[in-house]
Amino acid sequence: MTGLRFDVGDAVLAAAAWSRLAEPADAVAGALVRTIGAGSALRWLDASQDQAARGVAELVERGVVAPAAAPALVRGVDRWRPRLAVLDPARELRVLARLGGRVVLPGSPGWPAGLDDLGAEAPFCLWVRGRSVDAGGAAIVGARASTEYGNQVASDLATGLADRGVVVVSGGAYGIDAAAHRGALAAGGASVAVLAGGVDRLYPAGNARLLEALCDAGAVTSEVPPGSVPSRVRFLQRNRLIAALTVATVVVEAAWRSGALSTAGRAAELLRPVGAVPGPVTSAASAGCHRLLREQGAVCVTDAAEVAELVGAAGEHLPAARPDEHRPGDGLAERERRVFEALPLRRGAGTAALSRAAGLGTQDTMAAAGTLELAGLAVRDLDGWRRVNNPPGRNGSEVR
Amino acid sequence: MTGLRFDVGDAVLAAAAWSRLAEPADAVAGALVRTIGAGSALRWLDASQDQAARGVAELVERGVVAPAAAPALVRGVDRWRPRLAVLDPARELRVLARLGGRVVLPGSPGWPAGLDDLGAEAPFCLWVRGRSVDAGGAAIVGARASTEYGNQVASDLATGLADRGVVVVSGGAYGIDAAAHRGALAAGGASVAVLAGGVDRLYPAGNARLLEALCDAGAVTSEVPPGSVPSRVRFLQRNRLIAALTVATVVVEAAWRSGALSTAGRAAELLRPVGAVPGPVTSAASAGCHRLLREQGAVCVTDAAEVAELVGAAGEHLPAARPDEHRPGDGLAERERRVFEALPLRRGAGTAALSRAAGLGTQDTMAAAGTLELAGLAVRDLDGWRRVNNPPGRNGSEVR
């Protein structure tokens, strides 16, 4: 027993401590903390660290832990112990406070309820700089190695979402992530970056100014304390937060194999809708999106209205109907359309010839010709019926 | 009764006559001909044309036609009668013969069985120039107003299909249709064009040479006799033939509203799989494809292997697995991956530091480091463990 150099009864300090002790998505730590509380779990760990088996046996005896879970908990103690001696959450909180940030605890105001869907893999707390991270919204994610096309689409989608009041959530990477944040900011909207490392390290450095801007207009958040490095494992686990924080996840560009696909996979596991933006089949940067469409049942999304529909909010988010081009003959019944098609353009045709051309009886042909005349599409001259040359809405001679 | 100027007992002449009398997909004519035969139907029509109600009543009395169908049949007589007087199938067959063509009758050798799925809307016969039209294959269709991207993809798909021995079927239009045929021809494959007008009119004129080439290397076919004009209604009905002739339909490019979408719709009605090629969301020429993906459950296809998979033929058609890029650390178990991530690149780290960095117990950390050493990914120096600088398969420092 080394003795903990902070007040484990302080809920914020205790949660902060666990966010340092355990790696993201450590379900054993998550289950322990959710069962006996972060402070009690810390006291128990401190007392049991050199005699893990005995400490676990006591929890089993007290009925806190199922016997079958005991081995996993013993291994957990072995994982967490190396960091126990160097634990100093108060210092990490001071670093965060100097940056104007705060820690948000599960169930407290500002905690995104969607994170609870992660169960035992939910974070112990969120380290937040900026405004609210509890806004639902849409994840707009994708490759760092994006194309100009992908960047433009990501930015346009985010702008359109911001215009609709939908918060954009992404990582902090170059490429699609950055383009999405920029698009949201450009429209005066809110955008949230979820980092794999500590929020004191605005990584990558080239995006530091963008991420600083998010601290004003949106938020930057992480589940690991200040000072934590963004390792590859943490990047992958970070993706589960992006998926869980949001109502829907959209992948804008992704290579055949890409971290953005893991975010989509997490979203699907959480039963959140997944959208994918198509691109040229000749672009390797769209191959992952096409894979999602082809293999994972992702929804094809091409504009912000369609993303908003995926988010499934109020009617104002529904995409407007596309304006269909209008052609003469549109909206005609089958009989009238056939006669219209059969009408000569110049010299009129008699009823018999028109009937043959239309493949209709003479009575039907005459009735249809009359209807077309009333609609301003046909006219009768000395030779018979012909088309009106410039009917209302005429725009060409498309025949297909 | 005018008297028919040809031998209605000749099956080819009788079918050819009906293909002139009735417009494509005239289900009443189709049902009548399939019930009593093309020749008998002609004799009956000739006898009944001026007294349709009595003729129909006789058929009802004989139990050939259900009483409920009588009014539709009376209207049918009214539709077919105007063309009866000018009927001359023998002349149309002579035109076809001069072009080296032939008529293929339902159920005879060379008749594509897939057409029978159209039921009463199946054609009475096919007018064919060239080789077999009974080859299954894939429909590759799309907009006339295609882009360079769409043309290239259509051509590449057709080439890849031809390489796999899959016949390409399309219309005869400019744009995607033509690009698909060219791609198939370039690979020495077979390609079939289904025309909306007669096969004597290689429409549009700008594609006449291409369509002539198909008469040698593939086929050009139509359900309407030589001399028939390609009206808009016939174009739309022609699409059902493309859908029914093939095992699967793929739309390469299509505007939000496009005839190619009707082919896809027909294919879906016939329970044939429909594929759509994605493109840039900024391209109006891909909007119809995205609509199919989004609203109609079309399969996203990006190369010939995926189209061949849609055609669902033998194993040789299945797409090859994509070569995944290999990164150091790939394929490692979670524990080994964590330690690998935690390994310093230059100066080695002791087990305690490595345990903290990896978030693992010391025993697990040491075991994992040993595994990594054996895999050539880690090395132990005087200071402790570090990464091997150029491990097998190393290709960068992707961290996501």
Side-chain angles (χ1 to χ4, degrees), chain B residues 121-148:
Chain B
E121 295 193 356
F124 301 102
C125 62
L126 287 181
W127 301 77
V128 180
R129 292 174 64 184
R131 304 188 185 189
S132 173
V133 291
D134 177 24
I140 303 291
V141 299
R144 283 166 302 158
S146 58
T147 68
E148 201 44 57

Side-chain angles (χ1 to χ4, degrees), chain A residues 10 25 33 47 55 69 100 110 121 173 200 202 214 221 248 257 288 344 383:
Chain A
D10 181 309
V33 166
E121 295 193 356
D200 59 326
L202 296 181
L214 291 184
T221 188
R257 171 178 168 155
D383 297 306

Side-chain angles (χ1 to χ4, degrees), chain A residues 17-396:
Chain A
W18 275 107
S19 79
R20 167 65 79 192
L21 283 179
E23 281 296 306
D26 184 329
V28 176
L32 179 69
V33 166
R34 274 157 192 79
T35 304
I36 65 174
S40 299
L42 277 173
R43 274 191 215 96
W44 174 83
L45 176 62
D46 187 42
S48 308
Q49 59 171 309
D50 296 322
Q51 41 189 346
R54 192 198 293 176
V56 170
E58 280 170 17
L59 288 184
V60 171
E61 247 168 63
R62 284 166 49 200
V64 171
V65 168
L73 192 50
V74 171
R75 287 195 300 275
V77 172
D78 198 34
R79 277 200 300 278
W80 310 323
R81 191 172 51 176
R83 288 178 181 166
L84 200 56
V86 295
L87 207 53
D88 192 356
R91 185 176 55 79
E92 286 156 357
L93 284 167
R94 283 194 302 275
V95 172
L96 183 69
R98 273 199 299 275
L99 295 166
R102 68 195 182 284
V103 163
V104 178
L105 298 186
S108 70
W111 176 257
L115 292 179
D116 296 331
D117 292 349
L118 293 168
E121 295 193 356
F124 301 102
C125 62
L126 287 182
W127 303 77
V128 180
R129 291 174 65 184
R131 305 188 185 189
S132 172
V133 291
D134 178 25
I140 303 292
V141 299
R144 283 166 301 158
S146 59
T147 69
E148 200 45 57
Y149 164 73
N151 294 343
Q152 190 60 52
V153 173
S155 175
D156 288 349
L157 289 182
T159 295
L161 290 171
D163 287 342
R164 289 167 174 80
V166 177
V167 172
V168 170
V169 177
S170 192
Y174 298 124
I176 298 301
D177 290 9
H181 292 307
R182 287 201 177 92
L185 291 182
S191 204
V192 175
V194 186
L195 304 186
V199 292
D200 59 326
R201 315 186 157 206
L202 296 181
Y203 176 91
N207 278 346
R209 288 184 63 173
L210 173 63
L211 295 169
E212 291 279 2
L214 291 184
C215 294
D216 290 330
V220 171
T221 188
S222 175
E223 65 179 311
V224 295
S228 304
V229 297
S231 68
R232 184 170 166 190
V233 171
R234 286 177 184 155
F235 267 110
L236 286 170
Q237 293 299 351
R238 185 279 315 265
N239 293 340
R240 88 191 192 290
L241 297 190
I242 294 178
L245 270 171
T246 51
V247 179
T249 291
V250 170
V251 182
V252 177
E253 273 191 329
W256 183 252
R257 171 178 168 155
S258 160
L261 299 185
S262 94
T263 310
R266 295 293 198 145
E269 284 168 21
L270 292 166
L271 305 180
R272 310 280 207 275
V274 173
V277 174
V281 299
T282 46
S283 167
S286 287
C289 291
H290 299 153
R291 188 181 187 181
L292 286 174
L293 291 171
R294 188 174 160 73
E295 300 175 3
Q296 311 292 331
V299 176
C300 178
V301 291
T302 65
D303 60 22
E306 291 176 353
V307 177
E309 191 187 359
L310 210 60
V311 172
E316 59 186 331
H317 287 161
L318 292 179
R322 303 267 179 140
D324 280 348
E325 65 181 293
H326 185 78
R327 295 171 185 165
D330 281 354
L332 292 179
E334 171 74 12
R335 185 183 71 171
E336 277 70 23
R337 170 178 284 208
R338 283 193 182 195
V339 173
F340 177 76
E341 292 285 327
L343 285 172
L345 291 171
R346 297 203 187 81
R347 196 173 151 181
T351 308
L354 199 55
S355 296
R356 281 194 298 275
L360 288 171
T362 48
Q363 280 202 328
D364 272 337
T365 303
M366 285 168 66
T371 303
L372 293 171
E373 186 176 29
L374 289 174
L377 295 167
V379 66
R380 197 179 343 203
D381 62 19
L382 290 175
D383 297 306
W385 294 95
R386 62 172 170 80
R387 276 200 207 186
V388 169
N389 284 325
N390 287 300
R394 179 171 182 80
N395 73 345

Side-chain angles (χ1 to χ4, degrees), chain A residues 400, chain B residues 136-144 146 149-162 166-184 190-194 214 238-239 241-243 245-254 259-261 263-264 267 273-277 289 301-311:
Chain A
R400 179 165 179 158
Chain B
I140 303 291
V141 299
R144 283 166 302 158
S146 58
Y149 163 73
N151 294 343
Q152 190 61 53
V153 172
S155 174
D156 289 350
L157 290 182
T159 295
L161 290 171
V166 177
V167 172
V168 170
V169 178
S170 191
Y174 299 124
I176 299 301
D177 290 10
H181 291 308
R182 288 201 176 92
S191 204
V192 175
V194 185
L214 291 185
R238 184 278 316 265
N239 293 340
L241 296 190
I242 294 178
L245 269 171
T246 52
V247 179
T249 291
V250 170
V251 182
V252 177
E253 273 191 330
L261 299 185
T263 310
V274 173
V277 174
C289 290
V301 291
T302 65
D303 60 22
E306 291 176 354
V307 177
E309 190 187 359
L310 209 61
V311 172

Side-chain angles (χ1 to χ4, degrees), chain B:
Chain B
M1 184 155 168
T2 58
L4 295 165
R5 292 167 297 175
F6 60 93
D7 176 11
V8 297
D10 181 310
V12 171
L13 283 172
W18 274 106
S19 78
R20 168 65 80 192
L21 283 178
E23 281 296 304
D26 184 329
V28 176
L32 179 69
V33 166
R34 274 157 192 77
T35 304
I36 64 174
S40 298
L42 279 173
R43 274 190 215 98
W44 173 83
L45 177 63
D46 187 42
S48 308
Q49 58 171 312
D50 296 321
Q51 40 188 346
R54 191 197 295 176
V56 170
E58 280 171 16
L59 287 184
V60 171
E61 248 169 64
R62 284 166 50 199
V64 172
V65 168
L73 192 49
V74 171
R75 286 195 300 275
V77 172
D78 198 34
R79 275 201 301 279
W80 311 321
R81 191 173 51 176
R83 288 179 181 165
L84 200 55
V86 295
L87 207 54
D88 191 357
R91 186 177 54 81
E92 286 155 358
L93 285 167
R94 283 194 302 275
V95 171
L96 183 70
R98 272 200 300 276
L99 295 167
R102 67 194 182 285
V103 164
V104 178
L105 298 186
S108 69
W111 176 258
L115 291 179
D116 296 331
D117 292 350
L118 293 168
E121 295 193 356
F124 301 102
C125 62
L126 287 181
W127 301 77
V128 180
R129 292 174 64 184
R131 304 188 185 189
S132 173
V133 291
D134 177 24
I140 303 291
V141 299
R144 283 166 302 158
S146 58
T147 68
E148 201 44 57
Y149 163 73
N151 294 343
Q152 190 61 53
V153 172
S155 174
D156 289 350
L157 290 182
T159 295
L161 290 171
D163 286 343
R164 289 167 173 80
V166 177
V167 172
V168 170
V169 178
S170 191
Y174 299 124
I176 299 301
D177 290 10
H181 291 308
R182 288 201 176 92
L185 291 182
S191 204
V192 175
V194 185
L195 302 186
V199 294
D200 59 327
R201 313 186 158 206
L202 296 181
Y203 177 90
N207 278 346
R209 287 185 63 174
L210 172 63
L211 295 169
E212 291 279 3
L214 291 185
C215 293
D216 290 330
V220 171
T221 188
S222 175
E223 65 179 311
V224 294
S228 304
V229 298
S231 68
R232 185 169 165 192
V233 171
R234 287 177 184 156
F235 268 110
L236 286 169
Q237 293 299 352
R238 184 278 316 265
N239 293 340
R240 88 191 192 290
L241 296 190
I242 294 178
L245 269 171
T246 52
V247 179
T249 291
V250 170
V251 182
V252 177
E253 273 191 330
W256 183 254
R257 171 179 168 155
S258 160
L261 299 185
S262 94
T263 310
R266 295 294 197 143
E269 284 168 20
L270 293 166
L271 305 181
R272 310 281 207 273
V274 173
V277 174
V281 298
T282 46
S283 168
S286 287
C289 290
H290 298 152
R291 187 180 188 182
L292 286 174
L293 290 171
R294 188 174 160 73
E295 301 174 3
Q296 311 292 332
V299 176
C300 178
V301 291
T302 65
D303 60 22
E306 291 176 354
V307 177
E309 190 187 359
L310 209 61
V311 172
E316 59 186 330
H317 287 159
L318 292 179
R322 303 266 179 141
D324 279 348
E325 67 181 293
H326 185 78
R327 296 170 183 165
D330 280 355
L332 293 178
E334 172 72 12
R335 185 182 72 171
E336 278 69 24
R337 172 178 284 207
R338 283 195 181 194
V339 173
F340 177 76
E341 291 286 326
L343 285 173
L345 291 170
R346 297 201 186 82
R347 197 172 151 181
T351 308
L354 198 57
S355 295
R356 280 194 299 275
L360 288 172
T362 47
Q363 280 202 328
D364 271 337
T365 302
M366 286 167 66
T371 303
L372 293 171
E373 187 176 28
L374 289 174
L377 295 167
V379 66
R380 197 178 346 201
D381 62 19
L382 290 175
D383 297 307
W385 293 95
R386 63 172 169 80
R387 275 199 208 184
V388 169
N389 285 324
N390 288 299
R394 179 172 184 79
N395 73 344
S397 58
E398 297 279 305
V399 200
R400 173 159 184 168

